[in-house]
Amino acid sequence: MDTVSEVRKGGSWLLENVGPSEVFTPEKLSDEHRLMAQTTDEFIDTEVLPNLDRLETKDWALARTLIRRCGELGLFGTNVPEQYGGLDLDKVSSLIVAEHIARSASFATTYGGQANLCILPIVLFGTEAQKQKYLPKLVAGELVGAYALSESGSGSDALAARTRATREPDGTWTLNGEKMWITNGGFADVIIVFGKVDGEHFTAFIVEKIFPGVSAGKEEHKMGLHGSSTTPILLQDAKVPADNVLGEIGKGHKVALNTLNFGRFKLGGMSVGGCRTAIGDAARYAAQRKQFGHPIASFGAIKHKLGEMTARTYAMESLTYRTAGLIDAALADTAHDGAAVAHAFEEYAVEASIAKVGGTETLDYVLDENVQIHGGNGYVRDYPAERYYRDARVNRIFEGTNEINRMLIPGMLIRRALKGELPLIPAAKRLQDEVLSPSAPATRFTDDASLDEELRTSASFKKVALIVLGTAMQTYGQKLNDEQEVLSYAADIMIDTYAAESAVLRARAAAAAAHPHADLHEAAARIFVNDAAQRLECAARSALAAMAEGDTLRTLLAALRRVLKVTPVNTVALRRRLAEATVERGRYILD
Ligand SMILES: Cc1cc2nc3c(=O)[nH]c(=O)nc-3n(C[C@H](O)[C@H](O)[C@H](O)COP(=O)(O)OP(=O)(O)OC[C@H]3O[C@@H](n4cnc5c(N)ncnc54)[C@H](O)[C@@H]3O)c2cc1C
């Protein structure tokens, strides 16, 4: 596989510029990767989509059969070592499976409950005996997995769980509590349950449904994802063997957070998969639906939508593959043991949260426009647009709400900077000196002359992010956590910055490789960068105005204007080109 050449630290993209050859892009997929995508697509086309109505009536026997089929096809084994029945492939492979399985959102959720939330924590934190006991059957799809962290009183504040674990004199555990909204709850066999030992020490346990005192509550009546089981899990004096603690007692947060780090990243990938499907549906519908004697695809307003849906998806796809490449590069020379993998996921936790927030919000935008392009047909159940729209809404709620992830994006970065793991603070300081007093010596942040227009612009986004982060750290110090609005603006700036640069680097790589659609890649990247500049300016102005006033604010805004000098491009023409190519091929074109 042609991977990134150098290991780069998580978050370092904010501080240094890289070349197009250094990032992983979907164009670099190997034959094995493409085969994995094809296998997943065929499974969804022939076995899941034709059975969706049955799944939506909660036919969990069918869901079980499909899980078994996933096991036979190797779709659960991408990140599991071979000795436990897995394939031990790279993270790009698991991103591919996630992206393609997302063509059925309900089944993708079932799949995710097993692969991301049950298999993964056992791979990362299980003892040898636990791995041998549970992984082969979970990977084969003979057992169904789930993950029970949330409770009615503790969702975002998951560490406030009330489920209690008590150690018995014989070393076994008794668990009492009620977990809420558990994916696969209705038919799971193995559940990763989080509770507090003696009401204090947050700990993960591997709990089997057949253990005495464990049961599932009634199915929730949900807005969407009707083909995925969501129930409470009831623990009433549940008996759990002594050996079924996962990880260490009191270290359940490590299990929970590391599991979610990768789950969030994969949810970003799943969102991209959902976008690609909807873009194809929208393009085909727009080509055949006629109004005023013309296909609606010929109208500028519809071209705008199709072009924008494609450009935003392109940016998100670029950033998820770039991140998978970074994780794979970090793991390339290490033993793939649980600790090394957990460490790599932690390293790129900022990027994972960016993928989650950026991906899920792009998906909701795309699916909303898909309904709009379908008009009245988008609002009725005869077309999938209506289901896609309902199914996707939860993505912004689970795996850490987007509000919580927005706090984490700048929060984790600043924490790493304070620990000395990332030179963010000196870089922000240097930049502030530079932009606030123009006579100060130039830093490498102004040394962008060698970059072309879009790369220079995305490099200028980094400066904007540093001005906002630097001002926030200086203004609020230890109290920055209390300033959620400013943190959210900073997160939005960082999401657009990482997405824009990833899109431009991919477009440049496509051009360098003389890709047949390099011009369309270029169009998508230019649209995204142009509009991101406007969003960034707006977010930065709002954040700075919340932190400064008078002369200081005026100086900061002048600095912002100096840094963010962007010449607008004709995005109308670029969107039309993307839309026309999408309609012509009847699918998402940038692959
Ligand atoms: C279909 C479905 C499947 C699910 N699957 C699982 C599963 O398999 N396992 C599992 O453990 N859980 C699962 N969940 C639960 C899900 O993870 C939680 O719903 C989610 O974490 C949010 O928690 P909550 O619902 O309690 O919302 P709350 O935490 O009450 O949040 C409500 C609102 O307040 C905001 N908010 C909360 N705290 C803060 C804060 N500090 N700062 C700013 N804003 C804040 C939130 O962002 C949100 O907008 C699932 C949920 C659904 C709907």
Side-chain angles (χ1 to χ4, degrees), residues 301-320:
I302 300 296
K303 288 184 187 183
H304 175 95
K305 293 184 194 305
L306 289 170
E308 183 62 13
M309 289 154 81
T310 303
R312 289 200 201 182
T313 300
Y314 180 76
M316 289 307 138
E317 188 177 54
S318 306
L319 84 77
T320 50

Side-chain angles (χ1 to χ4, degrees), residues 90-167:
D90 55 17
K91 302 299 168 252
V92 170
S93 299
S94 47
L95 177 63
I96 289 169
V97 175
E99 194 178 306
H100 288 261
I101 217 154
R103 293 175 50 226
S104 165
S106 277
F107 189 71
T109 305
T110 304
Y111 170 88
Q114 170 113 344
N116 307 344
L117 299 180
C118 186
I119 292 177
L120 186 69
I122 298 177
V123 170
L124 297 185
F125 295 98
T127 61
E128 185 55 33
Q130 288 168 345
K131 288 178 184 173
Q132 282 187 17
K133 178 167 182 193
Y134 292 109
L135 287 178
K137 287 188 177 166
L138 285 164
V139 170
E142 289 168 27
L143 291 177
V144 176
Y147 175 89
L149 176 64
S150 307
E151 299 181 6
S152 59
S154 56
S156 301
D157 188 12
L159 302 190
R162 295 183 62 186
T163 293
R164 194 183 173 95
T166 311
R167 203 199 295 255

Side-chain angles (χ1 to χ4, degrees), residues 45-58:
D45 281 332
T46 58
E47 303 188 47
V48 180
L49 293 180
N51 285 313
L52 209 52
D53 286 347
R54 273 178 67 195
L55 279 179
E56 294 227 335
T57 62
K58 320 234 177 287

